[in-house]
Amino acid sequence: MTTTLLQRALDTRARTWSQMQEIQARAEGEGRDLSAEERASWDAAEADLTAASQDIERLERHARMDTVQREQIVVAGGDQAAETAEDRQATHDAAYRDAFAAFTRRGMSGLDNEQRQLLMSNQSEIRAGATSPGTAGGYFIPTDTLARITETMKAYGGLLGAANVITTTSGNPLNWPSNDDTANVGAILAENAQITEQDVTLGQKTLGAFTYTSKLVRLSLQLIQDDAFGVEAWLARKLGERIGRAVAAHLATGVGTTQPEGLFTNATAGKTGLAGQVTSVIYDDLVDLQHSIDPAYRASAQWAMSDSALKVVRKLKDSQGRPLWEPSVQAGVPSSLMGSAVLIDNGIPVPAASAKSIGYGDINAAYVVRQVAGGQMMRLEERYADFLQVGFFGFMRLDAKPDDGSAFRVYAHPAS
């Protein structure tokens, strides 16, 4: 059903875009501006195009999360004697998911001994203001549920899906080496001559682990006990959305001290707009921005901007009068701009005076994100007992920094 709806939305977007092109071509062919009626038709079509694009994004996100859930299905049966290590791990994971679901609904008192042991073996101690073990702990979210949270985070922040994401088991400071050897070249060696030396200079960055929390969610006991409602999946989605929104903003423009350093925060401007372009960009600016990146990076480069910036860019045409933006008509294939994919992330600044609103480059090479394995959830059972409610919150540890600064450049609007 999702595939059918997705294809229908793609067809609608392609058809609407074709209609907009016909309106524009008719006016240009007659050497005139759009009439009032044509302008009204164009505005209505543009609204339909935006709605179709939003539908496509939502359906593709649903398809990704559905795939994550289906990949976790464990088929019972078969020759027990031929059970492999993978089979045993799958069985263990399934049992842990069941224990975690029971914990979500009933708390520790509602678990049998085996389920309690499973959870206790995957517990991380938490104590505010201290690093030594305490009595209160958070239980690791099962892999498939965590994957659903990660998918939700990607949907709310496209940069996370494009960056180089590394996962570590602990949150200790991680030293990340860097190197720029592009200024050094080889040489011709004369006969009987001694070879010259040229050392490689390595830099170093440190990735920490900021703790992101979903804040507290209180659920009634009636809702938790209602087996007809998939509270585990719903709760994971809500926690993921909250964490994802916070992460998205910081990956774009985080200050780098009390939060990750954003990709756009200190990025080099590949092009600065002319005076007066405080909320606009022209075709020549985008060409200059593309060529501010070395060709070595352009094969994997993509555009990154907010939806507000995309609205501005979609109205631009090249020197032949052809629109720069090409909407995708195939599921899973992003829309393109001047031959490169367009990544939308609303954490990126919108067009404004002195803002860096458009980026271009190889984001995977330019930006590294460090996640500490195991997003966790805590259940507060007694705190709200007099309300017949249970409190939940999720948290995840993450840091990020620009990596290869040569791989990414931004378009900066002038101050006035």
Side-chain angles (χ1 to χ4, degrees):
M1 179 61 71
T2 299
T3 303
T4 301
L5 292 174
L6 178 58
Q7 189 57 55
R8 188 180 303 164
L10 287 165
D11 292 342
T12 298
R13 182 165 69 176
R15 185 169 56 254
T16 304
W17 179 247
S18 178
Q19 293 171 354
M20 294 172 69
Q21 294 303 101
E22 290 175 3
I23 294 172
Q24 178 180 313
R26 185 164 55 249
E28 290 180 347
E30 297 174 2
R32 59 177 175 80
D33 293 331
L34 296 180
S35 66
E37 182 180 355
E38 287 173 330
R39 192 172 302 280
S41 297
W42 175 279
D43 292 341
E46 185 174 31
D48 292 341
L49 189 70
T50 300
S53 297
Q54 292 172 343
D55 289 341
I56 290 168
E57 180 183 353
R58 184 180 65 256
L59 290 168
E60 287 182 338
R61 181 167 68 246
H62 180 274
R64 288 196 302 269
M65 290 190 288
D66 184 60
T67 300
V68 169
Q69 295 179 48
R70 290 177 185 274
E71 288 175 349
Q72 303 299 325
I73 295 176
V74 178
V75 180
D79 185 0
Q80 296 299 318
E83 186 181 41
T84 64
E86 290 78 9
D87 294 332
R88 290 191 294 273
Q89 184 61 46
T91 301
H92 175 274
D93 291 346
Y96 185 79
R97 286 196 300 274
D98 291 341
F100 188 85
F103 166 72
T104 301
R105 291 183 181 277
R106 301 187 295 273
M108 290 298 287
S109 61
L111 307 181
D112 58 34
N113 289 333
E114 182 179 355
Q115 290 175 323
R116 189 175 292 107
Q117 289 299 320
L118 276 172
L119 282 186
M120 294 296 290
S121 68
N122 287 274
Q123 184 184 33
S124 175
E125 302 292 351
I126 307 161
R127 285 187 67 186
T131 57
S132 58
T135 57
Y139 296 100
F140 285 109
I141 299 172
T143 303
D144 59 335
T145 304
L146 179 59
R148 271 175 267 166
I149 289 180
T150 303
E151 286 296 330
T152 306
M153 289 171 64
K154 289 180 181 179
Y156 280 89
L159 291 177
L160 181 62
N164 176 21
V165 179
I166 58 175
T167 303
T168 60
T169 56
S170 69
N172 297 332
L174 176 67
N175 294 326
W176 187 257
S178 61
N179 166 244
D180 182 356
D181 199 50
T182 55
N184 300 323
V185 296
I188 295 176
L189 183 66
E191 186 176 359
N192 297 321
Q194 183 180 18
I195 191 168
T196 57
E197 296 182 6
Q198 180 64 67
D199 292 335
V200 174
T201 303
L202 293 176
Q204 181 172 286
K205 299 179 180 180
T206 301
L207 291 167
F210 296 99
T211 301
Y212 284 86
T213 174
S214 63
K215 298 184 179 179
L216 189 68
V217 176
R218 289 196 286 173
L219 301 181
S220 69
L221 283 174
Q222 293 90 331
L223 179 63
I224 295 172
Q225 293 170 353
D226 184 4
D227 289 333
F229 179 69
V231 66
E232 303 86 9
W234 176 84
L235 186 57
R237 185 169 66 252
K238 293 295 108 179
L239 301 184
E241 287 174 355
R242 292 184 176 189
I243 295 174
R245 292 188 187 104
V247 170
H250 293 164
L251 294 189
T253 59
V255 298
T257 51
T258 56
Q259 55 194 227
E261 182 181 343
L263 175 61
F264 281 68
T265 303
N266 296 307
T268 301
K271 178 64 178 180
T272 299
L274 299 175
Q277 293 179 199
V278 292
T279 59
S280 63
V281 60
I282 60 176
Y283 169 64
D284 289 352
D285 292 338
L286 297 182
V287 172
D288 289 342
L289 180 57
Q290 269 195 323
H291 286 270
S292 68
I293 297 294
D294 191 272
Y297 297 109
R298 290 209 293 267
S300 302
Q302 58 185 315
W303 301 92
M305 64 189 77
S306 68
D307 191 61
S308 296
L310 177 62
K311 183 177 181 180
V312 173
V313 169
R314 273 174 45 185
K315 300 175 182 178
L316 298 180
K317 305 178 185 65
D318 64 16
S319 57
Q320 303 300 316
R322 296 169 299 191
L324 304 184
W325 186 72
E326 300 177 14
S328 171
V329 296
Q330 182 178 349
V333 177
S335 300
S336 64
L337 174 65
M338 299 167 63
S340 297
V342 180
L343 180 153
I344 301 301
D345 189 323
N346 282 329
I348 298 172
V350 301
S354 301
K356 300 173 181 178
S357 67
I358 300 174
Y360 181 77
D362 185 346
I363 298 175
N364 187 268
Y367 200 56
V368 59
V369 177
R370 182 265 186 98
Q371 290 188 91
V372 178
Q376 298 171 59
M377 185 182 78
M378 289 194 69
R379 187 181 200 271
L380 308 180
E381 187 169 352
E382 297 181 2
R383 183 173 175 181
Y384 304 105
D386 53 335
F387 292 96
L388 291 181
Q389 292 176 334
V390 177
F392 296 90
F393 67 87
F395 59 95
M396 179 177 289
R397 301 175 68 193
L398 177 148
D399 194 10
K401 278 183 170 59
D403 191 7
D404 186 349
S406 300
F408 190 79
R409 293 288 186 270
V410 295
Y411 169 75
H413 294 271
S416 61

